Amino acid sequence: MLQVDGIDVCYGDLQVLWDVSLRVGAGEIVVLLGANGAGKTTTIKTVSSLLKPAKGTVTFQGTRLDAVPSHKIIEYGVAHVPEGRRLFPDMTVEENLMVGSLRGEAKSRRSRTMDWVFEIFPRLKERRRQPAGTLSGGEQQMAAIGRGLMSLPKLLMFDEPSLGLSPILVADIFRIVELINKQGMTVLLVEQNVKHTLNMCDRAYVLENGRVALSGTGREFLDNDHVKEAYLGI
Amino acid sequence: MEVFVQTLVAGVLKGGLYALIGIGMTLIMGVMGIINLAHGQMMMVAMYLTYVLFHYLGIDPYMALFVSMPSLFLLGMFIQRFLLNPLMKVESILPENQVLMTVGIAMVLTEIARFIFTSNYLSVQTSYSTKAWYVGEISFSAALCVAFAFAALLSAGLFGFLVKTDLGRSIRAVSQDNEAAQLMGIDSERIKIITMGIGAALVAAAGTLLLPIYYLFPDIGGPFTRKAFVITILGGLGSTVGAIFGGVTLGLAEAFGATYIGMDYEDMVGLIIFILVLLFLPGGFKRLTKV
Ligand SMILES: Nc1ncnc2c1ncn2[C@@H]1O[C@H](COP(=O)(O)OP(=O)(O)OP(=O)(O)O)[C@@H](O)[C@H]1O
Ligand SMILES: [Mg+2]
């Protein structure tokens, strides 16, 4: 479904990704792991076309996404829930969700999708008229995920959705990611929460210093000594 | 007491027009992250347009709104599309340098006006230019009342648009988080073009409404750009509701300055308020450097 082929990405003169390739198959949950600064965010920002690769290609269902402007990506069915939530702080929860469904079919199905999002996150329904900037961290993450769902994407990319949440909430968020996946959306998950994600994912990639250092199934990773030592601390 | 109330009325009525000027500037500030230093000059263009329509075609200034607003909407879009957006694409040019471009645009507009109309003072005399309504001893200038009503109507319309429509929400989204807005499928360049158009149309309305009670010359843009800047700062850069507050504050400050200190000090009082706000309420300034 999504194919990233040998991309190099630079910020100005500073190269941060070297020859990164990864693949996400339809219906999968794929996890992208890596330490701080490894280049995870850079990778999915390149998929969203917010950054352009200096070399290599990004292909989604036969379309070269790297040639599409970032604001058109969502029309191809790719939604990106960015690092740090990035809600529109002065807009209400409801308005944030509306802005998630501006394009195409998502617009005509807006109210039904919103009901579905409120079903998944009843908390958001209670807070629908509250400015997003005044939500708690957990609620903001829910709103950000909800906003991503509003476009009815085929592929949903999450950038560290568990960041800064309590363990109970983290478990909740991952449960919902699995639920969303079961309902037919493909998931690319950027995470540092290794234990949790390796158990739920189909496949995983590890980025180290801007290069893919390891890839395999979740099971293989859990048995891998290097992963155990470097990321699980056992 | 009567003088006081009269001053209050004059200040609030003028404040309505100032709010209209300030809202446009604020909207542009929020979405583009820059102050538009050609704002008053765009207003000047609308005033000349109104003058020409009145003088040569006998079209009443209130009818001229239907020409000046769409014309300036187009001019604003043109400026953003062909003069400001291209600057954003060049990474080596700092966003702040777009401000310099607006200064250039301001000069060009002023000199074009001087070339066509010379530096002479012009004015439009209508039947209602000097008309006033009285409540007790207090006079309400008819033209200012009408201008105030239009300003209130346009502001309310703008708020409805920003809150109730997808395009309005897209404008707010871009001003609150440009990158996130792009991820939601919003073409921020297009939004910037439209926003500049709306800002220009609003200030055009202010210019057209002001003309029956004001005079006109090519350099009139400068003082109004300064006023718009003051209003935007007073309102806390980027807040449209704040701009209304800022507009009325400036209107009142000028009115009381003119009444109690002297006509010549009108502008000075406005600028003193501006400096006081910068000194004691500098929070708004952060927004300038954020984008
Ligand atoms: N806008 C930028 N300009 C210059 N360098 C950047 C920029 N953004 C990121 N980098 C650099 O690129 C490298 C990769 O950053 P990236 O944000 O992709 O890491 P990450 O894996 O997402 O890390 P984290 O887990 O901390 O979010 C880092 O060394 C970072 O300093
Ligand atoms: Mg990151």
Side-chain angles (χ1 to χ4, degrees):
Chain A
M1 187 179 222
L2 175 72
Q3 189 100 30
V4 176
D5 261 325
I7 54 167
D8 286 0
V9 179
C10 311
Y11 291 104
D13 293 335
L14 177 73
Q15 183 165 356
V16 297
L17 292 187
W18 283 269
D19 200 32
V20 170
S21 296
L22 55 88
R23 194 175 60 75
V24 183
E28 283 189 311
I29 298 182
V30 173
V31 179
L32 186 57
L33 301 168
N36 291 114
K40 306 180 296 294
T41 299
T42 306
T43 305
I44 66 167
K45 274 191 166 178
T46 311
V47 174
S48 294
S49 202
L50 286 171
L51 299 168
K52 300 287 172 200
K55 181 177 106 11
T57 59
V58 178
T59 316
F60 180 75
Q61 294 189 319
T63 308
R64 282 279 299 276
L65 289 189
D66 51 295
V68 168
S70 53
H71 64 88
K72 288 249 170 70
I73 294 290
I74 206 161
E75 290 176 30
Y76 291 92
V78 179
H80 178 165
V81 179
E83 188 173 23
R85 292 89 195 230
R86 304 291 288 273
L87 294 168
F88 304 112
D90 299 334
M91 292 196 195
T92 64
V93 170
E94 206 166 40
E95 287 178 317
N96 268 276
L97 294 179
M98 284 182 190
V99 174
S101 56
L102 291 173
R103 296 283 160 255
E105 209 191 327
K107 184 168 172 162
S108 50
R109 288 169 55 180
R110 177 178 283 170
S111 66
R112 251 181 300 161
T113 319
M114 201 181 286
D115 289 342
W116 174 55
V117 169
F118 285 152
E119 221 172 274
I120 300 175
F121 300 109
R123 191 59 170 269
L124 291 184
K125 188 168 191 175
E126 290 167 29
R127 314 256 151 177
R128 61 202 292 175
R129 307 226 185 276
Q130 191 171 323
T134 63
L135 295 173
S136 78
E139 289 162 351
Q140 286 191 15
Q141 191 59 59
M142 293 176 199
I145 296 175
R147 188 179 63 177
L149 289 173
M150 287 301 292
S151 67
L152 297 168
K154 296 174 193 144
L155 171 68
L156 198 49
M157 304 192 290
F158 298 95
D159 197 342
E160 301 204 36
S162 71
L163 201 70
L165 304 187
S166 72
I168 294 179
L169 220 51
V170 171
D172 248 15
I173 294 284
F174 285 138
R175 186 179 53 72
I176 283 158
V177 170
E178 279 191 285
L179 178 96
I180 292 166
N181 176 250
K182 289 218 177 69
Q183 304 213 356
M185 287 181 195
T186 305
V187 172
L188 175 57
L189 183 60
V190 166
E191 260 302 334
Q192 303 215 37
N193 198 320
V194 176
K195 235 182 205 161
H196 234 114
T197 48
L198 284 181
N199 276 312
M200 64 186 258
C201 73
D202 295 299
R203 289 179 309 105
Y205 294 84
V206 172
L207 277 182
E208 274 173 19
N209 299 318
R211 293 183 167 84
V212 176
L214 270 179
S215 66
T217 63
R219 195 67 254 154
E220 283 165 11
F221 268 67
L222 288 167
D223 296 337
N224 183 300
D225 287 336
H226 174 71
V227 173
K228 274 188 195 163
E229 203 172 311
Y231 296 99
L232 296 172
I234 38 177
Chain B
M1 187 62 198
E2 259 155 34
V3 176
F4 180 83
V5 176
Q6 181 67 66
T7 310
L8 196 70
V9 166
V12 170
L13 288 181
K14 204 156 108 186
L17 269 181
Y18 284 176
L20 210 50
I21 298 171
I23 289 174
M25 180 98 141
T26 299
L27 209 58
I28 293 166
M29 164 87 225
V31 170
M32 259 67 92
I34 59 157
I35 50 163
N36 169 28
L37 290 179
H39 208 62
Q41 284 77 7
M42 297 202 293
M43 175 172 151
M44 175 272 299
V45 173
M47 289 171 91
Y48 272 109
L49 209 58
T50 309
Y51 173 82
V52 168
L53 288 172
F54 180 81
H55 198 76
Y56 295 100
L57 302 172
I59 294 173
D60 185 88
Y62 296 140
M63 292 310 289
L65 274 179
F66 295 101
V67 178
S68 70
M69 287 183 70
S71 305
L72 266 284
F73 181 74
L74 292 179
L75 178 67
M77 293 211 296
F78 175 88
I79 286 175
Q80 186 66 33
R81 168 72 181 79
F82 294 105
L83 301 175
L84 294 172
N85 274 353
L87 284 188
M88 288 187 295
K89 296 211 183 76
V90 189
E91 273 177 37
S92 58
I93 301 180
L94 294 172
E96 289 76 22
N97 288 1
Q98 291 175 53
V99 180
L100 295 183
M101 179 58 118
T102 66
V103 174
I105 293 165
M107 289 180 186
V108 170
L109 292 178
T110 306
E111 294 317 313
I112 291 176
R114 201 186 319 281
F115 181 73
I116 301 175
F117 298 98
T118 74
S119 292
N120 291 342
Y121 279 49
L122 303 173
S123 67
V124 160
Q125 289 304 322
T126 59
S127 54
Y128 47 80
S129 282
T130 51
K131 194 175 158 204
W133 294 307
Y134 287 88
V135 176
E137 298 287 303
I138 311 298
S139 78
F140 291 76
S141 144
L144 265 182
C145 284
V146 172
F148 187 86
F150 268 113
L153 214 64
L154 284 170
S155 311
L158 179 73
F159 278 110
F161 164 73
L162 288 176
V163 172
K164 295 271 185 242
T165 68
D166 272 347
L167 184 55
R169 281 188 284 263
S170 300
I171 290 176
R172 286 158 65 216
V174 170
S175 80
Q176 290 174 35
D177 191 329
N178 190 2
E179 198 175 85
Q182 286 191 46
L183 290 179
M184 299 302 126
I186 298 170
D187 180 355
S188 61
E189 282 193 17
R190 181 174 154 264
I191 292 296
K192 285 176 181 173
I193 293 169
I194 294 171
T195 304
M196 185 60 101
I198 294 174
L202 289 174
V203 81
T208 299
L209 291 168
L210 194 60
L211 195 56
I213 42 173
Y214 221 72
Y215 46 91
L216 174 60
F217 58 102
D219 290 309
I220 199 171
F224 279 96
T225 294
R226 278 198 292 283
K227 284 186 211 284
F229 188 41
V230 173
I231 295 163
T232 312
I233 301 252
L234 283 174
L237 297 159
S239 149
T240 20
V241 183
I244 293 181
F245 169 79
V248 175
T249 307
L250 184 66
L252 284 172
E254 287 188 0
F256 279 99
T259 305
Y260 291 100
I261 305 176
M263 273 304 219
D264 294 342
Y265 297 100
E266 190 182 83
D267 288 334
M268 197 188 79
V269 174
L271 288 174
I272 287 175
I273 297 254
F274 174 62
I275 290 167
L276 289 179
V277 167
L278 282 187
L279 283 176
F280 297 108
L281 268 177
F285 245 130
K286 284 192 195 117
R287 295 254 187 138
L288 256 187
T289 49
K290 196 178 72 177
V291 186

